[in-house]
Amino acid sequence: MLTFEKVLNMFEDYLAKDLEVEIVQTSRGYLRIEWNGNLPYCDGGYVCHTPEELFDTLLDDYKGYLEVELTKGRRDATAEDEHLAEAQCQLLWDKRRLEETT
């Protein structure tokens, strides 16, 4: 069964590296906050009410992060960059499927 804790564990390494994304537990679910560099305000927030919603949100963030890492933020992502990012995301999908069956 997928839980919030399992999702956060799956994305632990990514969240430690991406300083612009923060996850905060609230009374209504987990809030995903996006910060804009060192500015004192956030760009946006999104409440994830289920572990599946949190997983999907973080997977989108992770894919974007990987593409920026691959391109160094200096060029558009190529098909190869997107393929490499998708391959990394697939590993997390595989972990999710495993968690959902146990």
Side-chain angles (χ1 to χ4, degrees), residues 3-68:
T3 65
F4 284 115
E5 292 75 22
K6 289 178 181 179
V7 171
L8 292 172
N9 283 337
M10 285 183 227
F11 288 95
E12 184 176 26
D13 291 339
Y14 156 64
L15 290 169
K17 291 185 232 172
D18 189 350
L19 303 178
E20 294 191 356
V21 172
E22 185 175 358
I23 305 299
V24 179
Q25 186 176 9
T26 72
S27 62
R28 297 179 187 222
Y30 278 79
L31 176 63
R32 182 251 196 205
I33 304 168
E34 186 173 354
W35 297 98
N36 188 1
N38 291 327
L39 296 176
Y41 54 87
C42 65
D43 273 347
Y46 180 78
V47 177
C48 300
H49 300 282
T50 66
E52 293 79 11
E53 194 175 6
L54 180 61
F55 180 91
D56 293 343
T57 299
L58 288 176
L59 191 66
D60 285 343
D61 290 340
Y62 181 55
K63 184 175 186 260
Y65 175 83
L66 289 172
E67 289 176 356
V68 169

Side-chain angles (χ1 to χ4, degrees), residues 2 10 55 90 92-102:
L2 193 63
M10 285 183 227
F55 180 91
Q90 184 61 47
L92 290 170
W93 264 110
D94 294 343
K95 285 184 182 181
R96 174 180 170 168
R97 284 188 193 98
L98 182 63
E99 290 297 338
E100 289 175 329
T101 60
T102 59

